[in-house]
Amino acid sequence: LSICGKLCYAIGGAPNQAAGSAAAFFLQIYLLDIAHITPFHASLVLFIGKASGAVTDPVAGFFISKSRWTKIGRLMPWMLACTPFTVVSYFFMWYLPPFVSGRVAWYLTFYCLFQALTTLFQVPYSALTMFLSTDQKERDSATAYRMTMEVLGTLIGAALQGQIVASAHVSHHCTVNPPVNTNGSWHDTLGFPDPSDTLSHQVIYMIAAGVIGGVYLLGIVVLFLGVKEKDDPYALNSDRAIPFCKGLGLTMKHGPYVKLTASFLLISTAVQLEQSNFVLFCTHAADLRNHFQYLVVTILVSAAVSIPFWQKFLQRFGKKCAACGISWMIPFAVMLVTIPNLILAYFVAFVSGLSIAASLLLPWSMLPDVVDNFRLQNPHAKGHETIFYSSYVFFTKMSAGIGLGISAAGLEFTGYKPGICRQSNDVILTLKILTGVVPAILILVGLFILFFYPITEESRKETKLALEVLR
């Protein structure tokens, strides 16, 4: 693989991450404080949207596995076809409709569409790793390029959206810090923005959505022009594509895949909870409402610049050893929720970025090893790659959706009220638990499961030699 080819492949995935980052960090607080829907309805939007994306994964894997080879490949047509519709759904996901009663249905519809369409892109795009090269080191290198560009895309999306959210949430009436009106009615504490503020926020959100939509189009053009998809290099002419349901059953019985998926299912849920509640925590629990957008940028810059470090680390010390870096965020996150200090917050953001980079790079670097291991045990199977990738994304999305839904429902249960400057002590305690305690427990359990992951550096080399003989 040439450096140009790796870059073009990496750039193709950046727009999906830019859009996903904006939604992960800011959609919950947008629904609560800008769209003014209740935390319960916000939890429904987040959970059902994630669930729709998760359900789309095996469906996408099924149809893609049935696709025939074309002049531009088997996976590329799917990515080209879904990109324009993804841009439209993302644009309307941030639009503030003029009606109030149907806003929940509006956001639910377009968030579900966006999640489903990004899945139709992500499944073939991630599976494309297996069709770039037969060499494990080349695939690992391409994955490192991809993760670096995806984190940069995440940074662009979060930085752009962060400036918007900052202007929308740092309101003048909160500088006085009025006490919570515990005896008043619901409408007494809402503090709806005046129409001019609503209009200005809507225009800015539309501009940001349009910019990220333009990045989508640029990314798919670069991917199409710069990447050449290769057919399965190990398959014989007599080999038939494995049926999807049979392949799904075989993957669920494949020990390395089950352990890897279970581990990163918990770890990715922890990262999602951290992302979704970090802005709310800084705004309402840590008195850092004027700094949260810069803290988010610090996290993502740290993650972007550390991807090459983790790539070198896993090459030298092994992938299981590199997984220990994910645990770095645990003590610092606990410190932040117990001692909310500005300097400590920036240090926590930097360390969290290092851990998030490891949690992003490792599963996508380890999954091709699992696919190779499966190929060696099932030498006459064909077309199983998309089954592995689609089912992996299904489980991680479903777990993240459940986590986010429970998170928002917890805020509803403890009495979160949008538009007020000071939340109740119960809400603040809930945000501390969701930002510090729950992610720490999920990461520790996930790393414990990963300890039993059977593929080592020695077994990877043996698999590589055996597949070379097969090829």
Side-chain angles (χ1 to χ4, degrees):
L1 286 175
S2 66
I3 293 178
C4 180
K6 294 175 187 177
L7 279 174
C8 290
Y9 171 64
I11 291 171
N16 233 12
Q17 300 305 312
S21 166
F25 276 108
F26 302 115
L27 183 59
Q28 180 167 267
I29 197 170
Y30 169 82
L31 294 175
L32 293 174
D33 287 1
I34 301 299
H36 287 283
I37 68 176
T38 66
F40 174 73
H41 289 135
S43 69
L44 287 180
V45 172
L46 294 172
F47 170 70
I48 296 175
K50 283 286 185 181
S52 68
V55 171
T56 309
D57 283 299
V59 175
F62 173 79
F63 285 107
I64 293 171
S65 65
K66 297 288 185 180
S67 301
R68 295 183 178 181
W69 184 264
T70 67
K71 292 182 179 179
I72 59 174
R74 187 163 58 94
L75 304 174
M76 191 67 73
W78 287 88
M79 294 180 275
L80 288 172
C82 69
T83 298
F85 300 101
T86 306
V87 173
V88 173
S89 64
Y90 179 80
F91 184 84
F92 284 109
M93 192 176 77
W94 296 100
Y95 176 72
L96 189 66
F99 48 85
V100 177
S101 59
R103 282 184 182 176
V104 175
W106 174 277
Y107 290 115
L108 182 60
T109 299
F110 285 104
Y111 187 51
C112 288
L113 279 174
F114 172 72
Q115 288 292 334
L117 289 166
T118 53
T119 295
L120 288 176
F121 181 93
Q122 191 65 29
V123 169
Y125 175 75
S126 55
L128 186 60
T129 309
M130 301 300 300
F131 301 98
L132 296 177
S133 173
T134 59
D135 187 80
Q136 290 179 347
K137 288 187 177 180
E138 287 293 320
R139 291 200 304 250
D140 287 347
S141 177
T143 300
Y145 273 82
R146 169 192 160 193
M147 288 298 109
T148 303
M149 291 304 300
E150 286 191 352
V151 173
L152 287 174
T154 303
L155 174 61
I156 292 171
L160 178 65
Q161 207 76 12
Q163 296 303 317
I164 297 169
V165 172
S167 65
H169 294 278
V170 182
S171 54
H172 296 295
H173 77 277
C174 283
T175 58
V176 183
N177 290 326
V180 178
N181 183 7
T182 55
N183 296 321
S185 67
W186 174 259
H187 294 286
D188 292 333
T189 60
L190 279 178
F192 283 100
D194 59 54
S196 62
D197 285 342
T198 302
L199 182 61
S200 63
H201 293 162
Q202 177 181 332
V203 171
I204 296 173
Y205 270 101
M206 291 299 95
I207 293 172
V211 171
I212 292 181
V215 174
Y216 257 110
L217 298 177
L218 177 63
I220 192 64
V221 169
V222 171
L223 180 68
F224 175 71
L225 296 178
V227 175
K228 182 175 177 59
E229 180 183 345
K230 299 177 182 178
D231 204 357
D232 189 343
Y234 299 116
L236 302 174
N237 291 332
S238 59
D239 289 345
R240 293 184 178 182
I242 186 170
F244 182 82
C245 293
K246 180 182 178 181
L248 189 61
L250 290 174
T251 58
M252 293 300 102
K253 297 176 183 177
H254 193 59
Y257 179 71
V258 172
K259 292 180 176 66
L260 179 71
T261 303
S263 172
F264 281 98
L265 180 149
L266 297 172
I267 292 171
S268 63
T269 302
V271 173
Q272 284 277 342
L273 281 174
E274 191 87 23
Q275 285 181 329
S276 181
N277 291 287
F278 186 76
V279 175
L280 282 168
F281 170 79
C282 291
T283 303
H284 298 298
D287 197 24
L288 297 171
R289 65 170 66 241
N290 294 323
H291 296 273
F292 68 77
Q293 69 270 30
Y294 306 113
L295 291 169
V296 169
V297 171
T298 302
I299 292 173
L300 297 174
V301 168
S302 171
V305 299
S306 62
I307 289 285
F309 163 76
W310 285 117
Q311 175 65 14
K312 294 291 184 183
F313 187 95
L314 64 87
Q315 286 179 346
R316 183 167 182 178
F317 299 103
K319 297 178 182 180
K320 286 182 67 174
C321 184
C324 297
I326 300 172
S327 64
W328 291 358
M329 74 165 69
I330 295 175
F332 297 103
V334 174
M335 287 173 61
L336 178 62
V337 299
T338 54
I339 314 170
N341 176 273
L342 180 60
I343 297 175
L344 179 63
Y346 277 100
F347 187 67
V348 170
F350 174 77
V351 176
S352 296
L354 299 178
S355 297
I356 288 173
S359 70
L360 290 174
L361 176 63
L362 282 172
W364 297 113
S365 181
M366 297 167 85
L367 196 54
D369 301 336
V370 173
V371 176
D372 281 346
N373 184 270
F374 181 84
R375 158 67 78 181
L376 193 59
Q377 296 182 19
N378 301 270
H380 296 291
K382 182 180 180 182
H384 57 281
E385 295 84 2
T386 53
I387 299 174
F388 273 97
Y389 281 86
S390 62
S391 55
Y392 173 79
V393 178
F394 166 78
F395 287 117
T396 52
K397 279 188 177 180
M398 183 61 76
S399 64
I402 293 172
L404 293 177
I406 294 174
S407 168
L411 294 176
E412 168 84 10
F413 178 76
T414 53
Y416 181 90
K417 296 181 179 179
I420 65 174
C421 302
R422 287 183 177 176
Q423 299 291 338
S424 67
N425 291 332
D426 289 340
V427 173
I428 292 173
L429 178 62
T430 302
L431 288 171
K432 289 182 178 181
I433 293 173
L434 292 172
T435 308
V437 178
V438 176
I441 294 173
L442 291 175
I443 289 172
L444 288 174
V445 176
L447 291 176
F448 177 76
I449 296 173
L450 192 64
F451 178 78
F452 299 97
Y453 175 71
I455 298 179
T456 62
E457 295 305 304
E458 290 75 17
S459 65
R460 284 181 66 228
K461 293 176 181 178
E462 294 172 1
T463 301
K464 178 183 178 182
L465 290 174
L467 287 177
E468 286 299 321
V469 173
L470 178 65
R471 189 165 65 92

